[in-house]
Each structure stands twice: as structure tokens, then as C-alpha cells.
């Protein structure tokens, strides 16, 4: 699953640590999400969407 | 099974993965420092083994009768393990893993030394060379476990000081580790007890209680993690637990088929270590992808 987390984070000039603290997860998790190595749970996906003020579909893109 | 084992085998892997899982912090210690810690802690444990391992020999040299010297040697080492375990329990975060590692190391060295010397195996009718081989393997595993825990303790002292430990995760993890050390001590004591005796039954009950604490600690620790680390942790535990169960089943079948010596406690300890080894290898295999991701992350940040 692709996502725009890295771009959205860069637009706000946030570090991975900043984003991790805002979401209540580890920086390791942020890296794994940005690298596409880990797909978030629905609650975390909604939390990310709320934080960036966008819908889940605008941030995450399914790759069939 | 916590983990941690040849830990990086146990050491490096646990230090990196365990620390990150607990505190959500990146790994900032250089490779040279890590090697220095590993070599240094290994030297400390090896020195301890040389200092305390031959306690029985020293007692005999002091004129104590052989049988009594052996018993006091065992008591001395068990006491030493207990002291280190207690120190680990009361120590601050930077020393708890170090003391736990020393406790595990002394235990591994003691059992391994006894096996290598044929104190257990020969009495069970095992071949001397085979007994010594098992003893040497146990000594090596004991050293690796010790180095892993000590390494982890030093690593956490260096890494977690900045942000403080995740106590919600550390406390149950510590309880689990201490329970594991206690379980090994109980297994060691069981080698001295008569099968079916009230003391043996009491030891079994105590072992079961410690095992329950281990499980509780793992569960509580996992609950304190964020979702990704919890998933990895759970997968690792499931894989490790499966290996452990398979090992126990194999041991039981071997006993029933008469393929293994009728030495319940000694056999259990041996299989415990073997299951530990298998669990660690499995855990490393499960976590290897995340280790690669972490290295990629470090490189990425270094570039930035």
C-alpha cells in the first residue's frame, strides 16, 4: 500500500519523531509506514487522516 | 524466552530491537561502540566464570571433603545467581539487565561446568564425551545469554537515559526476566531432588507459578507497545512459543521412546536452553526484515 505520509510530513517540516509523538506511536513505526513496510490499523489510519485534515483515501492508496 | 538470545545473536539484536520497541527511539550508537560493549561485557562475564566457576575445586583444595565441596560449590553458585537476580530486581534501569545477565551467566556457567565435568551426565550413565559436549554447549549458551543481557543493559543505559524508560513496558518485562531466571534456578534445584518427592512437587508448583509470571510479563509488555511493535513482538512470541512447545513434545516423545536418558530435570534444562536457542533463531528470522528497515532508516538519516 502506497501513502503520502512522507510528503505530508515534509510539507509541515515535521521530523519522524514529531509525527510519532503526535500519533502516539514509535518513530520506528513511522518509518515502516513511510517505507510501505507496515500497513496501519484502521484506528491509526483515521488518526493520521485527522491529523493531516485529509481523508484516508487521500493519504493511502491501495495497490492491487 | 524474552528474548532476547544469541540475541543477536541476542545482544545486538535485543539491544536494537528491544530498545526501540520499548522507547520508540532510534539507534544512535556507532558500530565500534557496540563491538566495544560486546567485547567488554563478554570479558566481564568470562572473568566471572573463571573466578567463580571453579569454586568447588577451590573448596576441595582447601581440604573440604569432595562431596561436601561439590554441594557447597553448587550452593555458592546458586546463591550468587540469587544475589545477582535480586540486585537486578532492585537496581535502576541501567543496571537491571546487567545484573540479570550476570545471574544468567553464572547459572549457565555452573550447569555447563557441571555437565562438562561429568558431575551430572556420568551419574546418569551418559557417555563422557557426549556429556562434555553438552556441557560446553551450555557454557557457550550461558555466555551468549549473559553477554546479550549485559549488552542490553549497557545499551539501554546509553540510549534510554535521554528520554527515560517506558516503565509501563519495562516493569512487566523485568518481572518476566526475573521469573525466567527464577525458573532456571528452580530447574537447577530439581536436579538435586528425588522424583516424586514432596520437595519435587513443590518445586514443580513454584516453576509453574514462575512460568505464569513470565507469560503475564510478556502480555503486559506487549500491551504497552505501539501497534507495529506489538505485532512484531507477538509474532515473535508465537513463533518462539511454538518452537518451545515442539521442543518439549520432542523431549517427551524421546523420553517415552527411550531415546533420551531418564533425567527429567537435567533433560528439561537442556531442552530449555535448546528451545531458547530455537526461539531466538526464530525470533531473529521473524524480525530480520525490521532490522533491515532500521538499517535503511539509519542510512537515510545519515544522508539527511
Amino acid at each position: 500500500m502506497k501513502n503520502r505520509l512522507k510528503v505530508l510530513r515534509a510539507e509541515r517540516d515535521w521530523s519522524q519523531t514529531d509525527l510519532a509523538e503526535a500519533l502516539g506511536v514509535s518513530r520506528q513505526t513511522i518509518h515502516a509506514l513511510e517505507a510501505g513496510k507496515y500497513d496501519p490499523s484502521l484506528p491509526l489510519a483515521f488518526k493520521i487522516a485527522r491529523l493531516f485534515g485529509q481523508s484516508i483515501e487521500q493519504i493511502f492508496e491501495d495497490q492491487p | 524466552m524474552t528474548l532476547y538470545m544469541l540475541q543477536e545473536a541476542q545482544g545486538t539484536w535485543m539491544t536494537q530491537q528491544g530498545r526501540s520497541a520499548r522507547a520508540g527511539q532510534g539507534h544512535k550508537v556507532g558500530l565500534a561502540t557496540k563491538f566495544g560493549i560486546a567485547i567488554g561485557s563478554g570479558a566481564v562475564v568470562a572473568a566471572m566464570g573463571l573466578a567463580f566457576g571453579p569454586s568447588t575445586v577451590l573448596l576441595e583444595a582447601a581440604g573440604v571433603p569432595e562431596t561436601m565441596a561439590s554441594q557447597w560449590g553448587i550452593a555458592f553458585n546458586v546463591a550468587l545467581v540469587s544475589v545477582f537476580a535480586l540486585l537486578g530486581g532492585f537496581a535502576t534501569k541501567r543496571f537491571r539487565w546487567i545484573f540479570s545477565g550476570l545471574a544468567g551467566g553464572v547459572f549457565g556457567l555452573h550447569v555447563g561446568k557441571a555437565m562438562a565435568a561429568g558431575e551430572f551426565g556420568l551419574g546418569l550413565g551418559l557417555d563422557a564425551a557426549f556429556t562434555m559436549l553438552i556441557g560446553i554447549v551450555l557454557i557457550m549458551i550461558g555466555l551468549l545469554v549473559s553477554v546479550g543481557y549485559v549488552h542490553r543493559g549497557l545499551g539501554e543505559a546509553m540510549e534510554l537515559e535521554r528520554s527515560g524508560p517506558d516503565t509501563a513496558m519495562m516493569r512487566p518485562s523485568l518481572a518476566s526476566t526475573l521469573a525466567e531466571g527464577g525458573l532456571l534456578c528452580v530447574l537447577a534445584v530439581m536436579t538435586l531432588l528425588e522424583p516424586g518427592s514432596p520437595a519435587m512437587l513443590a518445586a514443580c508448583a513454584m516453576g509453574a507459578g514462575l512460568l505464569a509470571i513470565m507469560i503475564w510479563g510478556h502480555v503486559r509488555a506487549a500491551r504497552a507497545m505501539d501497534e507495529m511493535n506489538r505485532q512484531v513482538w507477538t509474532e515473535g512470541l508465537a513463533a518462539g512459543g511454538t518452537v518451545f512447545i515442539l521442543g518439549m513434545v520432542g523431549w517427551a516423545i524421546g523420553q517415552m521412546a527411550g531415546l533420551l536418558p531418564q533425567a527429567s530435570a537435567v533433560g528439561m534444562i537442556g531442552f530449555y536452553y535448546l528451545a531458547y536457542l530455537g526461539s531466538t533463531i526464530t525470533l531473529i528470522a521473524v524480525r530480520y526484515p525490521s532490522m533491515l528497515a532500521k538499517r535503511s532508516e539509519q542510512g537515510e538519516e545519515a544522508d539527511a
Side-chain angles (χ1 to χ4, degrees), chain A residues 6 9 16 24-29 31-32 34 37-41 44, chain B residues 17 20-21 24-27 226-229 231 293-294 296-297 300-301:
Chain A
K6 195 168 186 175
R9 180 170 62 80
Q16 289 185 338
V25 299
S26 68
R27 190 170 64 86
Q28 189 183 18
T29 297
H31 169 74
E34 291 184 352
K37 297 180 185 300
Y38 174 68
D39 295 331
S41 65
L44 180 57
Chain B
Q17 299 299 315
S20 296
Q25 298 297 308
H27 187 65
D226 75 343
E227 63 176 49
M228 186 192 79
N229 284 308
Q231 179 180 316
K294 177 165 284 297
S296 168
E297 177 186 13
E300 182 181 305
E301 294 198 338

Side-chain angles (χ1 to χ4, degrees), chain B residues 1-4 14 22 149 152 168-169 171-177 179-180 210-225 230 233-234 237 272 276 283:
Chain B
M1 278 174 289
T2 338
L3 336 235
Y4 319 41
M14 276 308 287
R22 285 158 180 71
Y149 276 95
R152 179 182 178 186
M169 152 75 203
R171 285 175 179 169
S173 181
L174 171 64
S176 180
T177 299
E180 184 174 355
L210 291 168
L211 189 60
I213 294 175
M214 281 178 61
I215 295 171
W216 168 84
H218 284 313
V219 172
R220 286 295 299 269
R223 285 179 178 173
M225 296 176 181
R230 185 186 305 125
W233 178 270
T234 307
L237 280 180
Y272 185 89
Y276 209 158
L283 285 166

Side-chain angles (χ1 to χ4, degrees), chain B residues 85-271:
Chain B
L86 284 173
L87 287 173
F90 289 109
T92 56
K93 56 186 176 293
R94 72 176 62 186
F95 293 116
R96 60 181 51 152
W97 297 117
I98 296 175
F99 284 125
S100 297
L102 293 177
V106 173
F107 176 82
L109 287 170
H110 172 72
V111 176
K113 181 177 73 69
M115 292 290 285
E119 292 175 16
F120 289 152
L122 292 180
L124 301 168
L126 296 179
D127 176 74
F130 179 65
T131 303
M132 288 188 67
L133 177 64
I134 294 176
I136 292 170
V137 170
L138 288 177
I139 289 174
M140 291 178 65
I141 292 176
L143 284 171
L144 285 169
V145 170
S146 301
V147 172
Y149 276 95
V150 173
H151 184 183
R152 179 182 178 186
L154 292 173
E156 291 196 347
M158 297 173 68
E159 296 296 314
L160 293 181
E161 278 298 290
R162 302 171 188 172
S163 59
D166 183 347
T167 52
M169 152 75 203
M170 291 296 289
R171 285 175 179 169
S173 181
L174 171 64
S176 180
T177 299
L178 292 178
E180 184 174 355
L183 180 59
L184 288 174
C185 289
V186 169
L187 288 173
V189 171
M190 287 171 70
T191 63
L192 307 174
L193 302 177
E194 185 179 346
S197 66
M200 177 66 90
L201 294 177
C204 288
M206 188 180 296
L210 291 168
L211 189 60
I213 294 175
M214 281 178 61
I215 295 171
W216 168 84
H218 284 313
V219 172
R220 286 295 299 269
R223 285 179 178 173
M225 296 176 181
D226 75 343
E227 63 176 49
M228 186 192 79
N229 284 308
R230 185 186 305 125
Q231 179 180 316
V232 174
W233 178 270
T234 307
E235 288 173 353
L237 280 180
T242 301
V243 172
F244 185 84
I245 291 171
L246 288 175
M248 288 298 127
V249 171
W251 170 77
I253 293 175
Q255 286 276 345
M256 288 187 288
L259 300 175
L260 295 172
Q262 296 294 317
S264 301
V266 174
M268 281 290 287
I269 291 175
F271 270 88

